[in-house]
Amino acid sequence: MALKNKKSLLDSTWEKLDADFSIIDTIKEKGHFIISAEQIKKVREPRLVTKFDHSINLPQLFKKHHISIMPISRSQYILSNHDMFCKIGMFPKDVELRTIPGYLESINRDSISSEPVALNCSYITGMLSDFIGDENMVPTVEGRMSTHSFSFNIFNNSKSSFDPVKVDNSQIEIDGAFEGTNFLTLVEAKQNIATDFLIRQLYYPFRLWHDKIQKDIRLVYFVYSNSIFTFFEYSFDDPKNYNSLSLIKSKSYALEDTNINIETIQNILETTTIVAEPEIPFPQADDFRKVINLCELCYVNDLTKESIATEYEFNIRQSDYYTNACRYLGLMNKFSPRTKNPYFKLSEDGIKMLKMSFIDRQIFLIKKIVEHKVFNEALRMSFEIHSSPTNKMIEPLLKEHETYRVGSKIEDATTFKRRASSVRGWINWILSIINE
């Protein structure tokens, strides 16, 4: 398939830099490579090829040789086999309700379209103070600033030991800082669902303020998606050990009722009319939360596969899979002008869906899913066996019902297994939102 061989601009950039400066060979010989912003700028703007919020965003050269990159000043970066990412904890199923104060007119449930607004909302509704346990919290420092000089140890995967690293006035950005009676809470805010995150986003701000003030530092990774506000608190057990991060607790909040019972979903099954399959590849996108999340991101800006892979936890192939999944459900449209790369916009249904209340949105999405025969029968099966069907139970449904391109000659031999995994993932999402 053409997609498999397509090389991104990011990959080409780092292959060129490796050819020019023997990066990989130097790392193998010396354990690390220091590259300057000026060296990178000879090929491409540094800010476009050095920021990777999730491990999946790393260029192929980095993945192949298990290396990562970290700024150590405003003009230099260190590349090595360092362990830089942390898995995100499980998203809590229970949700606590909060309300926006009635006297506020400039913010409401429908106006939360960015990370700063979502974070502000979590503050004014008392979510953040409840999570931290400090009612006297107020916003203080935020935005771009410089670290001081500090040293730390980071785990090197190739050596199975720790390397010392020194940072001198590197630039950082703090999404939110809230000081209370006993703590300064630093928040990293996101709108995208991910499986891991860059520890540095918490560690560099932590080291800056840990060394500047006497109060304890609390660290929060905050995610707003599908109208749910979720907080994860982390702590560094050893301030000088980059990899000593541990999850303390997590909690989710919402501004409206999120309770959906099994009778509602069973009623959807009985009243939904099956539609003809669209001429769009059958979904290969296992995490339905990311399907919703991609629609939210597209609501703000039109997206290309490249921009999705750069900004969010997708590579180019996954960008293709998840945009196809959105198109399969009629939530997104693809435009292919001759003058530029294809891009994606929300459809009328996609825009309508995002303006709905939480419960109406989930019902709308479930209807969109089960109006397709395979998903309809897979959900019915789950109710019959009181469990999520296995991939082997789903595969016959794919073979029995005509689905576009599934099993065709252009697909490889693992098609049914991959598609069945996506069906199971979407059924699991439906089952996960049931509150009994």
Side-chain angles (χ1 to χ4, degrees):
M1 296 172 64
L3 184 62
K4 184 179 294 185
N5 299 320
K6 183 176 180 179
K7 187 177 295 184
S8 71
L9 185 56
L10 174 68
D11 290 330
S12 299
T13 297
W14 279 106
E15 287 181 9
K16 178 69 164 62
L17 289 169
D18 180 47
D20 290 347
F21 303 111
S22 301
I23 294 172
I24 302 302
D25 289 342
T26 303
I27 292 174
K28 289 179 179 178
E29 179 184 350
K30 297 182 177 180
H32 68 271
F33 183 88
I34 305 294
I35 192 168
S36 70
E38 284 300 315
Q39 288 173 312
I40 298 173
K41 195 175 290 185
K42 291 178 180 179
V43 182
R44 200 173 178 208
E45 182 63 34
R47 63 182 176 81
L48 299 177
V49 293
T50 59
K51 182 178 180 294
F52 309 109
D53 289 350
H54 312 286
S55 59
I56 198 170
N57 302 137
L58 291 168
Q60 290 301 316
L61 182 74
F62 286 32
K63 293 177 182 177
K64 179 180 179 181
H65 297 281
H66 308 289
I67 63 174
S68 54
I69 185 169
M70 178 188 301
I72 53 176
S73 72
R74 285 182 173 269
S75 61
Q76 288 186 317
Y77 303 82
I78 184 170
L79 294 95
S80 188
N81 303 106
H82 291 151
D83 185 4
M84 294 186 59
F85 297 91
C86 176
K87 292 287 185 182
I88 297 176
M90 293 289 291
F91 281 70
K93 182 176 176 63
D94 294 335
V95 178
E96 183 174 309
L97 290 183
R98 291 277 163 163
T99 57
I100 296 175
Y103 62 85
L104 295 179
E105 296 184 19
S106 59
I107 186 170
N108 56 54
R109 177 182 61 81
D110 297 328
S111 66
I112 306 173
S113 59
S114 68
E115 292 160 3
V117 175
L119 186 54
N120 285 343
C121 186
S122 76
Y123 170 69
I124 64 177
T125 56
M127 298 175 189
L128 187 56
S129 61
D130 175 74
F131 182 69
I132 293 298
D134 190 339
E135 295 182 354
N136 297 319
M137 295 172 62
V138 294
T140 55
V141 294
E142 66 176 48
R144 292 182 180 177
M145 58 193 75
S146 293
T147 68
H148 58 309
S149 296
F150 64 92
S151 298
F152 62 92
N153 296 317
I154 185 169
F155 191 74
N156 187 309
N157 289 309
S158 67
K159 299 190 300 184
S160 296
S161 61
F162 286 87
D163 288 341
V165 173
K166 183 176 181 181
V167 174
D168 185 23
N169 294 318
S170 177
Q171 182 172 282
I172 62 172
E173 184 164 2
I174 296 177
D175 293 332
F178 302 83
E179 187 171 350
T181 306
N182 301 308
F183 314 109
L184 173 65
T185 299
L186 304 177
V187 182
E188 176 68 21
K190 298 293 184 185
Q191 268 191 291
N192 58 310
I193 298 289
T195 55
D196 67 14
F197 67 93
L198 181 63
I199 298 174
R200 177 174 58 82
Q201 294 176 315
L202 292 179
Y203 187 70
Y204 278 24
F206 165 72
R207 282 302 304 269
L208 170 63
W209 290 100
H210 175 269
D211 297 342
K212 286 183 71 170
I213 67 173
Q214 297 299 312
K215 289 180 180 177
D216 288 340
I217 308 297
R218 305 281 291 272
L219 301 170
V220 173
Y221 188 88
F222 165 65
V223 180
Y224 176 74
S225 179
N226 196 21
S227 300
I228 304 295
F229 302 74
T230 302
F231 301 85
F232 299 90
E233 182 180 1
Y234 289 90
S235 173
F236 289 99
D237 300 328
D238 178 357
K240 293 186 177 181
N241 183 343
Y242 179 97
N243 302 105
S244 66
L245 191 69
S246 59
L247 177 64
I248 305 301
K249 62 178 180 178
S250 59
K251 190 171 182 179
S252 291
Y253 302 83
L255 298 174
E256 56 188 308
D257 184 20
T258 61
N259 289 310
I260 298 176
N261 58 40
I262 193 169
E263 288 78 12
T264 298
I265 295 178
Q266 289 174 329
N267 183 61
I268 294 171
L269 265 179
E270 298 306 321
T271 58
T272 299
T273 302
I274 302 298
V275 300
E277 285 293 294
E279 291 191 358
I280 295 170
F282 192 85
Q284 189 176 323
D286 292 358
D287 191 343
F288 193 75
R289 297 175 306 162
K290 291 184 179 181
V291 175
I292 302 171
N293 195 209
L294 189 55
C295 289
E296 292 174 317
L297 301 172
C298 196
Y299 186 69
V300 179
N301 294 300
D302 297 344
L303 300 172
T304 65
K305 284 186 285 189
E306 289 75 16
S307 67
I308 295 169
T310 301
E311 297 294 332
Y312 313 111
E313 199 198 34
F314 294 97
N315 55 31
I316 289 292
R317 178 172 287 277
Q318 287 178 315
S319 298
D320 193 61
Y321 292 155
Y322 276 86
T323 50
N324 278 342
C326 293
R327 294 171 58 216
Y328 178 84
L329 295 176
L331 303 174
M332 190 178 287
N333 293 319
K334 180 179 180 180
F335 296 88
S336 302
R338 294 182 179 179
T339 56
K340 61 178 182 179
N341 291 334
Y343 65 95
F344 302 88
K345 294 174 69 76
L346 286 182
S347 65
E348 290 185 7
D349 273 354
I351 295 171
K352 181 173 71 174
M353 177 268 295
L354 291 179
K355 291 182 177 180
M356 293 177 176
S357 68
F358 178 86
I359 291 179
D360 287 345
R361 180 188 301 180
Q362 314 315 303
I363 291 174
F364 180 84
L365 288 168
I366 294 170
K367 287 180 178 178
K368 283 287 188 180
I369 293 172
V370 301
E371 67 184 14
H372 296 276
K373 186 69 173 177
V374 171
F375 291 94
N376 191 294
E377 294 195 6
L379 184 56
R380 290 178 186 275
M381 186 186 299
S382 72
F383 288 138
E384 290 172 3
I385 64 176
H386 305 288
S387 178
S388 174
T390 64
N391 287 4
K392 286 187 177 180
M393 296 169 70
I394 294 171
E395 286 179 34
L397 300 178
L398 289 166
K399 295 175 181 178
E400 178 184 351
H401 302 294
E402 188 174 337
T403 49
Y404 181 66
R405 283 177 58 172
V406 173
S408 66
K409 293 181 180 179
I410 63 172
E411 297 283 358
D412 60 38
T414 62
T415 295
F416 289 117
K417 290 182 180 180
R418 298 200 311 267
R419 305 305 194 204
S421 179
S422 293
V423 174
R424 187 168 188 264
W426 291 21
I427 298 303
N428 282 340
W429 172 78
I430 294 174
L431 300 177
S432 75
I433 64 175
I434 297 174
N435 290 298
E436 292 294 354

